[in-house]
Amino acid sequence: MSGFLVPLPSIPGWWLWFYYISPVAWTLRGIISSQLDDVEEIISGPGFEGTVEEYLESKFSTSKKDDETLKILRNLECNLFLA
């Protein structure tokens, strides 16, 4: 339920709270967006043709604005575990 096996738009409304508090979701989102978000190669598949960045944004709702949120959450998580 971290939003990558079941994309965010397909998660039922009563499970959205779990997506937003799940550390697995934020970890996967951070890894995928930091490694693939700036790839400009054109890809094509069933129902999609565009860049990797456009695919991630359309399928997994990743965007550049999430970078600041991810930084804050990573710092918070580190501080909680190191305290």
Side-chain angles (χ1 to χ4, degrees), residues 5-81:
L5 296 177
V6 179
L8 182 61
S10 300
I11 295 175
W14 58 87
W15 277 111
L16 286 178
W17 65 271
F18 185 75
Y19 169 80
Y20 286 108
I21 66 165
S22 171
V24 174
W26 289 104
T27 302
L28 286 174
R29 179 183 293 255
I31 291 170
I32 289 175
S33 65
S34 70
Q35 297 297 315
L36 299 173
D37 205 23
D38 59 348
V39 177
E40 294 294 329
E41 285 187 38
I42 302 294
I43 57 173
S44 61
F48 181 82
E49 185 166 336
T51 64
V52 175
E53 182 179 6
E54 292 168 347
Y55 179 77
L56 291 175
E57 192 169 315
S58 69
K59 252 334 190 195
F60 303 117
S61 302
T62 62
S63 67
K64 300 281 186 196
K65 67 183 173 94
D66 292 335
D67 288 346
E68 283 302 316
T69 306
L70 289 170
K71 288 177 189 174
I72 292 169
L73 288 173
R74 272 188 243 131
N75 287 335
L76 179 63
E77 186 177 17
C78 289
N79 289 332
L80 286 174
F81 284 113

